[in-house]
Amino acid sequence: MHELSVTEEMLRIATQHAQEAQAKRITSIHLVVGDLSSIVDDSVQFYFDFLSKGTIAEGARLRFTRVAPRLRCRNCGGEFAMRPMDWTCPHCGAAGGDVVAGREFYLDAIEVE
Ligand SMILES: [Zn+2]
């Protein structure tokens, strides 16, 4: 269900931009998806195919760029890749940190005709 609402929103934005550019058709949509966002590519594609029927985005290809999760250490401020089951800062050894990348989901670009 999560993917349904984000796909609706993504389609709305893409269609709006395409209409502003007076495009006849959207050929592809580039999306940036963080690995922590719990967005499943196949689900987005599934909802997109359903929702885009009869719109200028029908048949557009979705292209996903996945973003690996990163943390910022609360102790030293260093950034590091989040590893499974290990949130220890490799710079200073402190545990945990704030997520600075990996939760995003946004429309990066659209290609139109
Ligand atoms: Zn640190």
Side-chain angles (χ1 to χ4, degrees):
M1 281 313 287
H2 183 47
E3 282 89 351
L4 177 58
S5 55
V6 297
T7 305
E8 277 178 329
E9 178 67 6
M10 178 267 285
L11 178 63
R12 190 185 64 74
I13 294 168
T15 308
Q16 186 185 329
H17 281 280
Q19 281 166 348
E20 280 168 14
Q22 300 186 331
K24 288 195 290 289
R25 192 166 94 78
I26 299 173
T27 54
S28 62
I29 297 175
H30 297 253
L31 300 165
V32 177
V33 185
D35 277 342
L36 297 177
S37 66
S38 76
I39 302 269
V40 180
D41 298 6
D42 287 349
S43 297
V44 175
Q45 182 75 62
F46 173 81
Y47 288 124
F48 179 82
D49 289 345
F50 174 72
L51 293 167
S52 65
K53 277 199 172 63
T55 74
I56 60 171
E58 183 171 355
R61 294 193 59 168
L62 301 184
R63 297 179 189 279
F64 295 91
T65 302
R66 305 294 303 201
V67 178
R70 289 186 67 77
L71 295 175
R72 181 182 293 125
C73 177
R74 291 191 188 121
N75 184 46
C76 74
E79 290 189 14
F80 54 99
M82 188 190 292
R83 296 162 309 247
M85 311 306 287
D86 180 8
W87 288 28
T88 308
C89 173
H91 308 293
C92 72
D98 299 313
V99 175
V100 292
R103 287 197 175 130
E104 49 277 269
F105 178 81
Y106 62 87
L107 186 86
D108 186 42
I110 62 172
E111 289 169 28
V112 299
E113 287 180 347

